[in-house]
Amino acid sequence: MTEWKPPRLAAHIIINRHLSPAEESLESAAPGVVDADGFHRAATEIKAWPGYQPTALRQLDGLAARLKLGRIFYKDESTRFGLGAFKAVGGAYAVLRHLQDKLGGSVTASDLIAGKYRDRTKDITVCTATDGNHGKSVAWGARLFGCRAVIYIHQGVSVGREQAIAAYGADMRRIPDNYDASVRACAADAERNGWQVISDTTWDGYREIPRHVMHGYGVMMDEVLEQLPPREDLTHVFIQAGVGGLPAAVAGYLWLEQDALRPKIVVVEPEKADCHYQSSKAGKPTAVTGKLDTLMAGLACGEVSPLAWTLLDKASFAFMTVPDDAAVFAMKTLAEGIGNDPKVVGGEAGVGGLAGLIAAAIDAEARKALLLDEHSKILIIGSEGATDPVLYAQLVGRKPEEVLAA
């Protein structure tokens, strides 16, 4: 990208009319979704796992200047536990909590990793439906802690992502339909076979494991608040949504930690899979049907997680949608680096929040609606790297390793 020239990005924005007053508590607005104890326990566990390292918080000062914004901070999850995505801190943690609940007593992660209970865990099966990253996390967690994993994918999941999950020893099942159909197939087989679903979405009677997943995501925000420079108070978080677990976890964490001073949460979705945008528009959870054939396959979800929605409906300042072109442009922008910005590898689903920020910042009406100006300090969660390297190279024009070498 020799010339930084954004394409016409037809973003759609809706300001949330249900946003809770600044002084309202999280427990009052959205009871039982996430809590401080859950975040603390998850962070303590995950930070003790072998291979744990905080991921980088990168400053994109060149891009911020180009967009006439104050600061842009990009949380780069491409190195998380070698899995290439933030999901490692959610799905694997939920697998651990399930095994601890199943085995009882004082079973620790170290015990499980050492194989102390392998004679019992080998007969336990966990399963999930996935667009890619969550399934990889569950498969990795199952291998790490010694149980079996069955992973359901839909027709839109690339072969590269399927192979990446299978590499962790999971039994793969492909469903000839969309993500929501794979969720239903997974739940039905689990009921029939006595398996445990490890999902990041909720339904009637199924809440606790998705809560574990969301609490696991809080590790990222622990790191962010430690990594931010002094006196750099965030004004906005632009964050992509699939079923809603990630933005709900981030919004809940910031509500608990910063209360009335928390930044404005802007939830970004592909225009072809905009269940949160449509739910906000309708004032209630609203499903999006059809193929959901967005390039941002990791966000190709047609139904909100009901539990996550109860929080996002109260915590999100706005919901917006972007076309696939916006994600590709964001990927290329990161790979090229503006000015002295670091060159970053961001996957097509992982750059959703950045795509939304760029689209909003270059549009006068969107910029005004979202209260963006030269003083704005924005956090982006770069939730994945090149989790499908072949697709990444096709979209960006360079292999991930070439970008990093530059």
Side-chain angles (χ1 to χ4, degrees):
M1 189 180 359
T2 56
E3 181 184 4
W4 195 78
K5 188 176 180 180
R8 183 175 178 82
L9 302 176
H12 298 281
I13 297 170
I14 183 169
I15 303 300
N16 184 17
R17 61 185 180 273
H18 297 133
L19 181 65
S20 291
E23 64 274 10
E24 187 173 9
S25 71
L26 173 62
E27 185 57 27
S28 172
V33 183
V34 291
D35 58 68
D37 288 344
F39 282 128
H40 176 72
R41 175 172 176 174
T44 301
E45 286 274 18
I46 293 166
K47 290 178 181 180
W49 292 356
Y52 168 78
Q53 289 289 335
T55 57
L57 183 67
R58 306 193 186 279
Q59 296 182 197
L60 305 182
D61 294 338
L63 180 58
R66 187 67 58 89
L67 295 174
K68 296 180 174 59
L69 300 170
R71 304 295 293 274
I72 299 175
F73 299 97
Y74 184 92
K75 183 64 169 166
D76 184 1
E77 287 294 301
S78 65
T79 60
R80 182 69 71 180
F81 284 113
L83 272 70
F86 80 106
K87 292 283 189 177
V89 294
Y93 174 66
V95 171
L96 169 63
R97 290 296 306 270
H98 169 63
L99 292 176
Q100 290 174 326
D101 291 344
K102 190 84 171 175
L103 299 175
S106 56
V107 175
T108 67
S110 297
D111 289 337
L112 292 168
I113 292 169
K116 185 175 179 179
Y117 298 93
R118 193 60 56 95
D119 60 326
R120 296 169 64 187
T121 60
K122 65 181 177 60
D123 296 323
I124 297 174
T125 298
V126 295
C127 60
T128 195
T130 186
D131 285 314
N133 293 331
H134 177 70
K136 188 193 292 186
S137 173
V138 170
W140 175 68
R143 189 177 76 170
L144 182 66
F145 300 122
C147 64
R148 174 175 175 252
V150 181
I151 308 297
Y152 290 72
I153 56 176
H154 57 89
Q155 63 185 7
V157 176
S158 70
V159 173
R161 287 196 172 86
E162 179 180 13
Q163 293 172 341
I165 299 169
Y168 291 98
D171 179 1
M172 303 299 297
R173 310 276 175 94
R174 186 178 286 272
I175 303 301
D177 205 331
N178 62 23
Y179 169 79
D180 300 302
S182 68
V183 170
R184 290 188 285 271
C186 175
D189 285 355
E191 177 71 21
R192 185 161 47 249
N193 295 306
W195 302 340
Q196 178 59 57
V197 177
I198 306 291
S199 180
D200 52 358
T201 192
T202 57
W203 51 83
D204 287 345
Y206 182 81
R207 291 168 51 101
E208 200 57 27
I209 283 178
R211 290 185 76 239
H212 294 330
V213 172
M214 288 190 284
H215 282 136
Y217 295 161
V219 170
M220 290 184 293
M221 297 310 301
D222 264 9
E223 296 171 2
V224 165
L225 294 190
E226 292 172 358
Q227 293 167 325
L228 282 170
R231 297 180 298 279
E232 292 285 10
D233 295 327
L234 298 172
T235 62
H236 296 74
V237 180
F238 277 69
I239 187 164
Q240 55 277 4
V243 296
L246 172 59
V250 170
Y253 182 100
L254 290 170
W255 198 329
L256 288 166
E257 287 293 320
Q258 299 186 332
D259 200 27
L261 298 177
R262 63 191 185 273
K264 296 175 177 63
I265 305 295
V266 181
V267 177
V268 185
E269 296 175 288
E271 61 183 8
K272 294 181 180 179
D274 60 344
C275 52
H276 290 84
Y277 178 89
Q278 295 298 338
S279 296
S280 182
K281 191 175 179 180
K284 61 181 180 180
T286 301
V288 177
T289 59
K291 293 182 179 180
L292 310 177
D293 56 343
T294 171
L295 173 69
M296 294 172 267
L299 308 179
C301 305
E303 299 177 22
V304 300
S305 167
L307 188 65
W309 175 252
T310 62
L311 194 157
L312 290 174
D313 187 37
K314 300 296 185 181
S316 301
F317 176 69
F319 299 88
M320 68 180 296
T321 68
V322 292
D324 285 351
D325 286 352
V328 177
F329 184 77
M331 293 169 71
K332 291 180 177 179
T333 296
L334 285 173
E336 184 75 15
I338 302 296
N340 294 321
D341 287 353
K343 293 173 172 55
V344 179
V345 173
E348 62 279 6
V351 301
L354 182 60
L357 174 61
I358 293 172
I362 63 176
D363 181 276
E365 289 187 10
R367 188 180 178 95
K368 182 178 179 181
L370 296 177
L371 306 180
L372 293 169
D373 59 29
E374 66 275 12
H375 303 295
S376 298
K377 298 174 183 179
I378 299 110
L379 173 66
I380 303 292
I381 303 292
S383 58
E384 68 170 8
T387 51
D388 186 336
V390 173
L391 179 59
Y392 179 89
Q394 291 173 352
L395 296 174
V396 175
R398 282 183 288 171
K399 296 178 180 179
E401 56 269 26
E402 292 173 341
V403 173
L404 296 176

